[in-house]
């Protein structure tokens, strides 16, 4: 697909994954309008790390996913829509489940109502591997049962089902991309890989929650490639597509791999003070990416070692934005 001059609307463009996707779209020549969660401080979120000449080509519109009128107005006349905006913190969803449901599920409903009436040629919504809960079998394909082990997961399952219903009922040309854990430069230290890196930079030992859960860690530029290929493929319409590497590692193994690429040695310990209730702990997520390979021609390109190295180098040069001592939900 030639992106030059194409009118694109993106939600969550100021977030971790969204900032990389926005950068890719602008540098490919797309005319991008991005919804920017409103604050009175001109907070660009992760877009502050994107080169100025890229950000200056964006139309940035402040607003909230929970406001259907704003979303409807912004979607009018757009050709391709990427919906990444969401409240993504699982611990935050324990404390404020209603807010998380309203942003993630009702926000997606607002977006799809606007897409139904606005005539976009393609809408890509964003799911998450968290909707599967602890793997009942591995690798996890798209037919794996959905298990809501957190309010966050429940909100994303609801959003995915709204997308399915809007495709089946109204023929909205929507595809749902389901990324497994994504990491890379610009990610907040609420996520596991930045947490480990920042402790390795600033402390003498690494203290984490449980070391045993297993995750399939996908580098952010590979995830971005999944979004682009999903938007480009007519075969993706009406489908849910997993994006992940097909390899998993325990949290303890990820910590060792990070220390290795950073050339450091220090103990890695597990704290008794767990933030996740026991039933909410997702023990294993491992992606079956066969459908992505076959349907949209996607494959992971970045090895865990190379991705961790890029991420550690980036965090090292931006460490003032990270706090190794304070736990944030
Ligand atoms: N990071 C991961 O490992 C991962 C894995 C699977 C799926 N996802 C999904 O990918 C998407 C992006 O995740 P991320 O890691 O970049 O998260 P992020 O928190 O960095 O970005 C979320 C974005 O949503 C915006 N947002 C939040 N509430 C909003 C509201 N009420 N109105 C408008 N905008 C709002 C934020 O401003 C931000 O730009 C999410 O849908 C998330 O569920 C992320």
């Amino acid at each position: 697909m030639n992106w030059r001059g194409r009118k694109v609307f993106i939600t969550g463009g100021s977030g971790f994954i969204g900032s990389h996707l926005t950068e890719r779209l602008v540098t490919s020549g797309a005319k991008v309008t991005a919804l920017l969660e409103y604050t009175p401080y001109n907070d660009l979120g992760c877009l502050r790390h994107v080169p100025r000449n890229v950000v200056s080509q964006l139309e940035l519109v402040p607003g909230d996913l929970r406001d259907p009128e704003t979303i409807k107005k912004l979607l009018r006349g757009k050709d391709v829509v990427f919906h990444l905006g969401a409240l993504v913190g699982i611990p935050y969803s324990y404390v404020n489940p209603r807010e998380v449901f309203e942003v993630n599920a009702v926000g997606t409903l607002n977006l799809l109502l606007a897409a139904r009436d606005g005539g976009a040629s393609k809408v890509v919504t964003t799911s998450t591997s968290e909707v599967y809960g602890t793997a009942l079998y591995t690798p996890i394909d798209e037919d794996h049962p959905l298990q809501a082990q957190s309010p966050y997961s429940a909100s994303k399952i609801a959003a995915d089902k709204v997308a399915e219903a809007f495709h089946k009922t109204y023929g909205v040309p929507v595809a749902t991309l389901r990324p497994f854990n994504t990491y890379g430069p610009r990610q907040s230290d609420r996520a596991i890989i930045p947490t480990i890196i920042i402790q390795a930079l600033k402390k003498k030992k690494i203290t984490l929650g449980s070391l045993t859960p297993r995750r399939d860690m996908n580098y952010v530029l590979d995830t971005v490639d999944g979004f682009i290929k999903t938007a480009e493929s007519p075969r993706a319409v009406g489908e849910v597509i997993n994006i992940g590497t097909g390899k998993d590692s325990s949290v303890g193994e990820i910590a060792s791999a990070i220390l290795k690429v950073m050339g450091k040695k220090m103990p890695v310990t597990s704290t008794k003070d767990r933030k996740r209730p026991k039933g909410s702990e997702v023990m294993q997520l491992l992606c079956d990416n066969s459908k992505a390979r076959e349907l949209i021609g996607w494959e992971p390109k970045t090895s865990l070692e190379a991705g961790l190295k890029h991420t550690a180098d980036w965090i090292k040069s931006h460490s003032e934005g990270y706090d190794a001592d304070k736990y944030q939900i």
Side-chain angles (χ1 to χ4, degrees):
M1 184 192 276
N2 184 0
W3 287 92
R4 192 148 296 283
R6 214 166 255 272
K7 289 186 178 163
V8 173
F9 176 59
I10 182 167
T11 73
S14 66
F16 158 54
I17 302 174
S19 69
H20 289 279
L21 177 58
T22 301
E23 191 173 351
R24 165 96 179 251
L25 289 164
V26 171
T27 52
S28 305
K31 284 186 67 166
V32 181
T33 301
L35 177 71
L36 188 66
E37 195 182 355
Y38 177 74
T39 73
Y41 312 108
N42 292 326
D43 184 359
L44 288 178
C46 291
L47 287 172
R48 71 190 180 281
H49 301 301
V50 172
R52 269 168 195 239
N53 64 328
V54 173
V55 176
S56 65
Q57 293 178 58
L58 282 172
E59 185 191 16
L60 284 170
V61 186
D64 196 296
L65 277 164
R66 288 165 290 188
D67 175 5
E69 278 132 49
T70 303
I71 304 302
K72 193 164 186 166
K73 199 167 64 193
L74 290 175
L75 237 94
R76 208 169 288 139
K78 302 301 186 299
D79 186 13
V80 182
V81 177
F82 291 99
H83 175 43
L84 285 82
L87 288 173
V88 308
I90 293 168
Y92 188 79
S93 83
Y94 299 147
V95 183
N96 294 310
R98 179 181 298 276
E99 183 190 357
V100 169
F101 197 85
E102 284 175 354
V103 172
N104 296 0
V106 181
T108 301
L109 174 70
N110 290 339
L111 184 109
L112 287 162
L113 280 166
R116 183 195 66 180
D117 301 340
S121 73
K122 190 66 165 285
V123 181
V124 182
T125 61
T126 314
S127 180
T128 166
S129 53
E130 286 288 329
V131 299
Y132 294 125
T134 297
L136 300 175
Y137 60 82
T138 57
I140 298 175
D141 59 16
E142 291 79 358
D143 295 327
H144 186 285
L146 303 180
Q147 308 179 93
Q149 285 181 235
S150 62
Y152 169 66
S153 171
S155 72
K156 296 296 271 190
I157 291 172
D160 294 356
K161 289 293 170 189
V162 174
E164 183 184 337
F166 270 56
H167 175 65
K168 289 187 170 152
T169 310
Y170 306 115
V172 174
V174 57
T176 298
L177 192 68
R178 187 166 284 160
F180 282 57
N181 289 67
T182 296
Y183 71 98
R186 305 178 192 158
Q187 189 168 27
S188 110
D189 52 11
R190 289 172 180 81
I192 187 69
I193 287 179
T195 301
I196 298 170
I197 293 172
I198 203 67
Q199 290 191 43
L201 285 170
K202 295 193 177 177
K203 305 196 100 169
K204 293 199 166 49
K205 71 170 188 176
I206 293 176
T207 311
L208 302 169
S210 176
L211 302 182
T212 50
R214 302 187 71 81
R215 292 290 183 272
D216 182 327
M217 304 300 311
N218 201 24
Y219 189 61
V220 65
L221 296 185
D222 288 337
T223 301
V224 164
D225 210 39
F227 276 99
I228 298 289
K229 287 198 156 70
T230 301
E232 289 179 346
S233 165
R235 296 174 71 204
V237 171
E239 301 288 342
V240 174
I241 303 168
N242 282 347
I243 289 284
T245 66
K247 292 180 189 148
D248 67 347
S249 315
S250 70
V251 171
E253 287 163 356
I254 294 168
S256 304
I258 289 172
L259 289 172
K260 193 167 169 210
V261 299
M262 293 176 76
K264 288 186 180 271
K265 282 200 167 106
M266 62 182 74
V268 179
T269 57
S270 167
T271 163
K272 295 269 171 293
D273 176 27
R274 295 294 299 125
K275 304 286 182 230
R276 286 195 182 212
K278 205 162 178 288
S280 182
E281 190 83 76
V282 173
M283 293 314 295
Q284 187 180 23
L285 293 171
L286 170 58
C287 180
D288 182 339
N289 57 26
S290 320
K291 187 170 175 182
R293 287 175 186 273
E294 195 273 316
L295 203 67
I296 58 170
W298 178 88
E299 59 178 11
K301 296 213 167 73
T302 314
S303 68
L304 183 62
E305 192 187 26
L308 291 177
K309 179 91 179 76
H310 292 313
T311 310
D313 288 348
W314 189 89
I315 290 180
K316 195 171 175 186
S317 57
H318 296 79
S319 61
E320 73 290 347
Y322 290 86
D323 187 338
D325 290 311
K326 207 164 86 206
Y327 176 78
Q328 311 202 39
I329 63 165

